[in-house]
Amino acid sequence: MNTSHLDRFTLKHYTRLMFSFFGCLAVLSIFQYTTLYFKGVVDTIFGTSFLIALVHHLGFTALVGIVLTFPFNFWENFRPRYGFVLTIVVLMLILIIEALLIAYFITTLVPLGSDLLGYSFADLKMTISNSGGQSFYVVLAVVAITGLFFGFYKVTSKFYHRISKMYPFTIILFSLFVATLFTDGKPINQNKTQYLAINLYQSTTEDNSYVADVEYPLIKRPEMPDVLGSYFNLKEDKPNIVFIMVEGLGRDFVGEGAEYGGFTPFLDSLTTQSLYWENCLSTTGRTFGVLPGLFGSLPFGKSGFMELDEYPNKLTLFSILKNNGYNTSYYQGTNSSFDNIDRFLRSEDLDFVLDKSGFGSKYELQAKDAAGSSWGYPDKELFKKSMSLPRDPTQPRMEVYMTISTHEPFIPPTPEYYEKKLEKFISQGDFTGQKRKVIEKNDGVFASLLYTDDALKWVFEAYKKQPNYENTIFVVTGDHRLIPIPQRNALSRFHVPLIIYSPLLKTTRKMSSVSSHFDVAPTLLAMLTNAYKLKMPKKVAWMGGTLDTQEAFRSVKDIPLMRNKNELKEFISGTKIYTDGNVMEFDKNMDLSSTLAGSAKLEKKLDNFKAMNQYVTTNDKIIPDSLAIFTQRSEKFEETDMVWINSVFNGQNFDRAFFTARDLAFEKDYDRALLLCRYIMSEAPSHIDTKVLTGRIYAWMGEREKSIQILNDCVKMNPNYIDSYSALFDVYFWAGKDKEAMELIDRVEQNSSNANEVADKIKRAKREYAKLGNTASIQESKTVKQGTKVAATDQ
């Protein structure tokens, strides 16, 4: 674009920039609708919704045009060409943001709104990358948008030449913007940048002031009716409790009458052998809220309970059962640092946590996605690992699983097998029209459902061989509904099955009444307390009550729902739901009626809840210290220490903070290195590199026994991570613990796929051991090594 002959850019050029901007937004909409069409989410590309999207883009263009008019005019009068360049830069930035937001939307089917405040950049990057996104495509998109923008600018020169005055054009822009305010928009056809900006503004300016009538408004007495006990033949010993939270398991995929039924035959069968709530609601629309809601009946906080900077005192099923003699454990195949799961579990003092880092070399990761990364270990590998671990038959257990295979990028193991199985299901099922199209366009999703159902069948069979299976209660539910599959309404995302199965059951029952995850922990505790006289706090603080066991449909509860982090926009009261400013009624099929009048009452309930929610979570007013089983132990740092920590660490990138701590340790500034390590571990307890570095520092300081203890914990925490073994070999050598070093050889060769990386340290350990006259023992060790199993590593 040759503009060297111009002294000053005029309204003609400014208007052409606006046309170019709108043209790029239109192309981005075409990209969005085309992608959703081929995913089977929408029926057509250029339909009414697309036209509405263009109208909203037109209004957004008008708004941007109005805002930028004045800086453009000012700078062109003050210094020619500056206003023109400034406008181009701003418009390009907005287009890139819009492109990224559309990429997020077609991945999650939910626009990024005020929940942006609840996610880190790493969280957002992981969400998109695990859906098959690549940074290469982002660069390509930026180049394409830039080319489009200047292409449109060039084209407009051929037909636009009439407008010559600035302020009449401003009036036109303002009129266009006002006109679009009266066009009803949905998330799919709204301008994503405008939607984000409005939501951020509303979230940061809403009044959540709360006038407390009592200091602890959630406190209540623990006496609740035992609604489950009559269904069980409970034994003298306390039962084991096993929770399986299935990623994306919405009611639309499970049980009789499911919209996309037939892809979970094992779970479908299990619903007929269990206590089954077909109208249960998850309390959040993403995984971030399932642990606090299901196990603690806890409020949300601003962006989800686990996102709180400091956890208030709380009671959960974990802490209460552990206080009553239960062994508590948690299993998942992904990184437990995501969504701060590790922080939350540490605050509950669990006995054992397994995540992606703790599997070892015997288990196979989920296939890599298009970005070359693996989300973690698939569901059957998770269950196999769990079943390999020892269990004490004399102690009751509470075990919790979080599955991942029904999560983006939806790549089940042996995909060819499940693709053929899916084809058979489709051919034999009653799938026609739009439903069949959705299934075929999302074959990876439904193949993953088939895989996870097989994995669940496998683990239930495996549990029959575990100690005290006959005295075990299983709870199966979804964390939320699968996101990529089109939803019928605003309630679908929260609609999940709740299945309670046990060999102890006397009878089965299907409940159509509405309950939520908030009700599960209080209900189980009511039964266990009634049967076994549990040690319970004098008062509790539950968001929910007991599960409604009415067989016929009814809805009598008040249930707040958090759609995304930082987005509290739904509230259920009876059979009415308040969502995005509208009130609708739902029926026994959880279908919504048309909008009802009189939203003020429900909006007031939601506002009151928001205020209370903010008050109790930010002021530590859920329960007082006197009722807490595990008071929240947070690392205490002196003010001077925090000033220094903040000067070297921005609080976001813990890997970068680790490198800072490592550099300090190399410079022998051990005190400050340990201080920074302590801070990292207080915020990210599963950061294995920091823990290994801590062990090394203590060894360098001469505190070798403490170092050995820390490094052994690292090996136990992550049996596949070679750095833990490398450090431990060094400390054993310095401490003269040759026998322990020889035992470590078996552990590293059995559990780590990277044992060759410490081959020199293995040779050194054998050499030192041989010096003591133990050559025969080394040979014997080689002979029996293949049959050796080190249980400590797998615990």
Side-chain angles (χ1 to χ4, degrees), residues 218-222 224 295-299 314-317 320 518 521-523 525 536-537 539-545 622-623:
L218 285 174
I219 286 284
K220 61 186 76 172
R221 293 198 171 275
M224 288 192 178
F295 299 101
S297 196
L298 289 164
K314 61 190 184 302
L315 295 168
T316 72
L317 201 57
I320 292 174
F518 283 144
T523 303
L525 286 171
M536 285 289 291
K539 293 184 179 180
V540 295
W542 307 132
M543 285 286 298
I622 297 179
I623 59 170

Side-chain angles (χ1 to χ4, degrees), residues 170-202:
T170 308
I171 295 172
I172 293 171
L173 289 175
F174 183 73
S175 301
L176 287 171
F177 172 66
V178 171
T180 59
L181 295 179
F182 297 96
T183 304
D184 186 30
K186 301 298 181 186
I188 189 173
N189 50 40
Q190 287 178 315
N191 178 275
K192 306 301 184 291
T193 309
Q194 183 175 337
Y195 180 90
L196 173 64
I198 291 172
N199 274 267
L200 287 174
Y201 173 78
Q202 290 175 343

Side-chain angles (χ1 to χ4, degrees), residues 290-349:
V290 67
L291 284 175
L294 189 61
F295 299 101
S297 196
L298 289 164
F300 304 113
K302 182 70 173 175
S303 303
F305 190 91
M306 294 194 298
E307 294 294 322
L308 293 170
D309 291 333
E310 292 186 12
Y311 294 145
N313 285 319
K314 61 190 184 302
L315 295 168
T316 72
L317 201 57
F318 289 119
S319 57
I320 292 174
L321 291 188
K322 178 164 184 173
N323 196 42
N324 282 274
Y326 275 76
N327 178 277
T328 55
S329 55
Y330 176 85
Y331 310 90
Q332 72 174 58
T334 58
N335 290 325
S336 60
S337 59
F338 192 71
D339 281 334
N340 292 315
I341 288 172
D342 54 354
R343 280 185 60 221
F344 181 80
L345 296 177
R346 187 184 65 169
S347 74
E348 291 303 291
D349 199 23

Side-chain angles (χ1 to χ4, degrees), residues 622-633:
I622 297 179
I623 59 170
D625 289 349
S626 59
L627 295 179
I629 295 173
F630 302 122
T631 54
Q632 299 311 301
R633 302 185 302 274

Side-chain angles (χ1 to χ4, degrees), residues 33 44 58 74 145 150 184 195 248 279 392 609 630 680 782:
Y33 278 88
T44 181
L58 183 64
F74 171 80
I145 290 169
F150 288 107
D184 186 30
Y195 180 90
N279 289 327
D392 182 355
F609 171 75
F630 302 122
I680 296 170
K782 290 179 179 178

